[in-house]
Amino acid sequence: MAKQLTGRSYRFDLGVLKVRFTFDSPTQGSFVVVHGAGLAPDGHAETVALNLREIREGVYLNSWTEASGATVTHLEDFGNGTLYSNVTVDGKLHHFTGTIEEA
């Protein structure tokens, strides 16, 4: 259940894009961009409203819209430590595959 994620922080490593993400509640998250890969400035921090849905135990579909208008959709598989991410910035869609590790 999404409540199990509340208060926990994770490193989302998508290769060129690296983010530290905290689940503040089942409906809110906050992040800091560690390495933005030109999509966001390094060090950028923001709190976002989440649309978080559990697909099955340990697997979530998570999406949000950032203040810049960028959209993010993740398939987060915590059991296998795998993250699939689609990010739209300035109308361009970027696909990433990476890892999740608790921080």
Side-chain angles (χ1 to χ4, degrees), residues 5 8-12 19-21 78 100-102:
L5 297 174
R8 298 175 107 168
S9 295
Y10 295 88
R11 286 185 291 276
F12 292 166
V19 175
R20 180 183 166 102
F21 193 93
F78 291 93
I100 301 170
E101 185 177 298
E102 192 159 8

Side-chain angles (χ1 to χ4, degrees), residues 10 18 23 27-28 36 38 45 51 55 58 60 67 69 85 98 100:
Y10 295 88
K18 297 176 183 1
F23 290 90
T27 60
Q28 181 176 293
N51 183 4
I55 304 298
Y60 294 86
S85 179
I100 301 170

Side-chain angles (χ1 to χ4, degrees), residues 1-2 5 10 12 14 30 38 42 48 59 61 73-74 79 81 84 93:
M1 173 168 264
L5 297 174
Y10 295 88
F12 292 166
L14 297 162
S30 55
D42 295 356
V48 292
V59 178
L61 183 61
T73 302
H74 282 177
Y84 301 93
L93 180 61

